[in-house]
Amino acid sequence: MTVWGVREHHRFEAAGKPFVYLVPSAAIFELDEAADTVLQTLRERPRTREELTAALAGSDTVSDPVAALDAALAELARVQAIAEVNAPVAPTPKVIPLAPFPLTTMVLNVTNQCNLSCEYCYEYGEDKIVDTENGRQPKFMSEQTARDSVDFMLRESGDNKVAHVTFFGGETLLNFPVLQKTIAYARQRGAELGKQVDFSLTTNGTLLKPDVIEFLAENQVGVTISIDGPKEVQDKFRVFHNGTGSYDVVAPKIKELLKRHRSRPIGARVTLTSGKMDVKRIFRHLTEEIGFWEVGFAPVTTAPGRGHAIPDRGYDEMLAQFRDLADEFLEASVQNRHHGFSNVKETLEELHKGVSKAFPCGAGLGLLGVATDGDVALCHRFAGSDAHKLGTVGGGIDRDAQRAFLESHHIANKTDCSRCWARPLCSGGCYHEAHTRYGETIHPNLHYCDWIRGWTDVCLKVYGELAVRNPAFLAQFDDASMKEPVS
Ligand code: SF4
Ligand code: SF4
């Protein structure tokens, strides 16, 4: 006798219809009533065909329970939402990407110095990994190291036709001369090798002088500004070394940048801290009053108990506000209007593409960070840390170290995550967050699971609504190549 049981899934409703997100395949399906009833019944416990027929017979809208059950079982089994209980389930293979895995994004820390002194900064604050002030690394990357880094990037990018270089700091623009020369060199070397090089940078906005803006616009450099919101929010933590707030310095400069640099959308990146959680107000200010095209939010990375750390209840508040903004995003997208809440858009793209991650991000894989001395590390946040070093730009990637890292950090090793329906997108979360919170990169970020699952559920509902009300919106993700976000 065949007994059916469910496989891992997450049910949600959107546009008045039931949907299911299937964990093994990271696929999303709309359910008809019979399939939904079968799935709901099986969630209680495994059932025989006769029991399922009886469950369907109780439904007002199913006229032929036997035919409806046949169709539902066939469909649910096809998409792997259910399986025969005694049928062997193949274990998910632990696939480690074959080295050499091509590098897609190199984050170049052109300086570890900063002209601001943000209290929550992971590079300078209480949670820093690398001693950037007194360490052995140079304060600024030299022109030669930057050139070597470009050569390293082009070499390690394999057959990829496009290489992404992101300039980072400290405050990136403190080393503007090297940044300028690096772009010119990378363009020339890329052209010689038949590769296109895409450039972006992150800056605090304080050094956006007219000649800098001109250069960024002319060279089509993607720009992300780290800014926290209106004056009283920005000036709480984002201060100069003498304690003065930075809002009055950065706001006019950013407006100038937005006026002049029109070739690429300029985004804001907001760090949310305790007491600065008015997400909607921050979003309005940055989009409507300053003029950013898009705004992304991230909770501060910090050890618990710090003054700026978001307390556990703060995640619920943040989720409620994200949900409101996601609703606005949905209504705008249904009407084909732009809405700049980038967090939801990035997750929709991952859902649409059926992303199922073995690793939480590209760090150590397609993305690497380079310190000012040319040491290569997991990502920009670990650049300069010997414990997280994966080579040098001169000597190349240490493939043994890379392989050991990927082996140990694979989602298959994170037993806490093995029964979580959100793992295709989360995969344990940011290594840097884990290191700050638990002292080791391998630890899943269990302190924010409710938040991650809550947010994924919000995005699934937005996805389902759009799939019903404006499927053309989702088609934009069909061909778009995904770029590793750097924050
Ligand atoms: S860290 Fe938490 S939310 Fe993320 S996959 Fe693991 S259990 Fe799920
Ligand atoms: S998610 Fe974390 S570990 Fe991954 S690239 Fe970003 S900061 Fe680095």
Side-chain angles (χ1 to χ4, degrees):
M1 183 173 34
T2 305
V3 180
W4 292 95
V6 285
R7 298 194 68 197
E8 279 182 288
H9 67 274
H10 173 69
R11 180 189 182 276
F12 63 98
E13 289 182 11
K17 298 168 190 291
F19 284 81
V20 67
Y21 176 59
L22 300 170
V23 179
S25 57
I28 300 168
F29 291 97
E30 185 184 327
L31 300 170
D32 62 23
E33 190 182 334
D36 191 33
T37 305
V38 167
L39 214 50
Q40 299 228 42
T41 310
L42 289 179
R43 258 201 302 276
E44 293 162 12
R45 63 174 171 79
R47 309 266 179 166
T48 63
R49 185 184 165 80
E50 289 65 35
E51 290 173 307
L52 291 170
T53 311
L56 281 184
S59 164
D60 296 341
T61 51
V62 176
S63 55
D64 182 347
V66 173
L69 180 64
D70 282 341
L73 288 178
E75 184 63 8
L76 291 171
R78 186 184 67 78
V79 301
Q80 299 181 21
I82 63 172
E84 291 180 30
V85 166
N86 293 323
V89 177
T92 309
K94 182 178 173 183
V95 180
I96 305 293
L98 288 175
F101 191 84
L103 189 58
T104 53
T105 304
M106 175 179 71
V107 188
L108 214 51
N109 282 23
V110 288
T111 177
N112 51 37
Q113 301 299 293
C114 193
N115 56 346
L116 291 187
S117 189
C118 308
E119 190 183 312
Y120 55 62
C121 179
Y122 61 81
E123 202 161 347
Y124 280 94
E126 296 164 300
D127 299 312
K128 65 184 174 191
I129 294 178
V130 183
D131 188 351
T132 39
E133 278 158 302
N134 306 306
R136 61 176 166 73
Q137 291 179 342
K139 292 183 163 63
F140 297 94
M141 182 176 279
S142 69
E143 191 182 335
Q144 186 57 48
T145 303
R147 281 171 168 252
D148 292 345
S149 304
V150 168
D151 292 338
F152 164 82
M153 168 83 217
L154 292 169
R155 217 168 42 238
E156 299 291 356
S157 61
D159 293 336
N160 288 354
K161 284 286 165 224
V162 183
H164 298 276
V165 176
T166 296
F167 298 96
F168 216 85
E171 168 41 39
T172 313
L173 292 176
L174 281 172
N175 203 357
F176 184 56
V178 164
L179 185 151
Q180 281 176 295
K181 288 178 180 145
T182 309
I183 288 180
Y185 179 69
R187 280 248 159 77
Q188 177 212 322
R189 288 296 296 138
E192 285 164 10
L193 296 168
K195 286 182 191 264
Q196 185 196 332
V197 187
D198 171 72
F199 303 100
S200 56
L201 65 81
T202 295
T203 172
N204 62 27
T206 54
L207 299 173
L208 286 169
K209 291 183 273 190
D211 60 321
V212 174
I213 293 175
E214 198 60 31
F215 176 85
L216 299 177
E218 266 179 18
N219 285 279
Q220 300 185 3
V221 178
V223 181
T224 301
I225 307 276
S226 301
I227 182 170
D228 285 354
K231 182 172 169 59
E232 70 281 9
V233 180
Q234 169 85 353
D235 288 352
K236 187 164 179 197
F237 291 129
R238 299 191 70 82
V239 294
F240 289 95
H241 295 299
N242 65 5
T244 317
S246 57
Y247 183 87
D248 291 338
V249 172
V250 299
K253 290 185 158 71
I254 295 168
K255 285 181 181 166
E256 227 16 70
L257 174 79
L258 290 164
K259 210 188 297 169
R260 169 69 184 94
H261 190 342
R262 316 288 297 183
S263 58
R264 290 179 71 161
I266 309 269
R269 199 269 187 198
V270 176
T271 300
L272 290 171
T273 49
S274 64
K276 288 195 333 178
M277 300 282 287
D278 197 344
V279 174
K280 280 188 285 180
R281 179 153 172 271
I282 293 170
F283 181 82
R284 297 258 179 285
H285 178 77
L286 294 178
T287 51
E288 292 169 14
E289 290 165 44
I290 300 283
F292 280 106
W293 179 250
E294 55 189 15
V295 180
F297 296 85
V300 67
T301 294
T302 187
R306 303 258 191 257
H308 48 263
I310 295 174
D312 288 348
R313 67 181 181 288
Y315 281 91
D316 294 340
E317 186 189 333
M318 192 166 77
L319 181 59
Q321 298 210 26
F322 269 45
R323 187 179 283 122
D324 286 352
L325 262 189
D327 285 345
E328 276 182 17
F329 178 99
L330 169 64
E331 289 316 315
S333 303
V334 165
Q335 296 163 25
N336 292 315
R337 280 188 291 111
H338 170 73
H339 188 283
F341 185 25
S342 59
N343 298 66
V344 69
K345 192 168 174 205
E346 282 162 15
T347 306
L348 288 182
E349 182 165 5
E350 291 188 325
L351 290 171
H352 188 74
K353 293 190 162 152
V355 166
S356 184
K357 300 176 183 172
F359 304 96
C361 62
L365 195 58
L367 179 147
L368 291 169
V370 181
T372 51
D373 61 357
D375 274 4
V376 173
L378 282 181
C379 78
H380 50 296
R381 290 197 181 197
F382 293 99
S385 162
D386 286 340
H388 306 94
K389 183 171 165 177
L390 289 181
T392 62
V393 291
I397 297 173
D398 179 340
R399 295 291 177 188
D400 290 339
Q402 184 187 38
R403 186 165 186 89
F405 174 83
L406 295 175
E407 281 278 355
S408 58
H409 287 70
H410 194 279
I411 183 69
N413 297 350
K414 297 181 179 173
T415 44
D416 288 303
C417 305
S418 64
R419 297 175 65 80
C420 171
W421 65 262
R423 72 177 182 279
L425 293 191
C426 173
S427 201
C430 169
Y431 303 127
H432 181 255
E433 172 92 17
H435 186 279
T436 306
R437 192 85 184 196
Y438 305 99
E440 50 181 5
T441 49
I442 207 163
H443 202 294
N445 284 290
L446 301 175
H447 58 287
Y448 62 29
C449 297
D450 288 346
W451 145 253
I452 290 290
R453 284 190 283 260
W455 174 238
T456 309
D457 181 67
V458 168
C459 291
L460 281 166
K461 286 174 178 158
V462 172
Y463 188 91
E465 291 275 344
L466 284 168
V468 173
R469 296 166 65 194
N470 187 9
F473 178 88
L474 299 171
Q476 69 177 294
F477 301 128
D478 285 344
D479 301 322
S481 67
M482 283 177 67
K483 189 171 169 268
E484 197 70 47
V486 176
S487 61

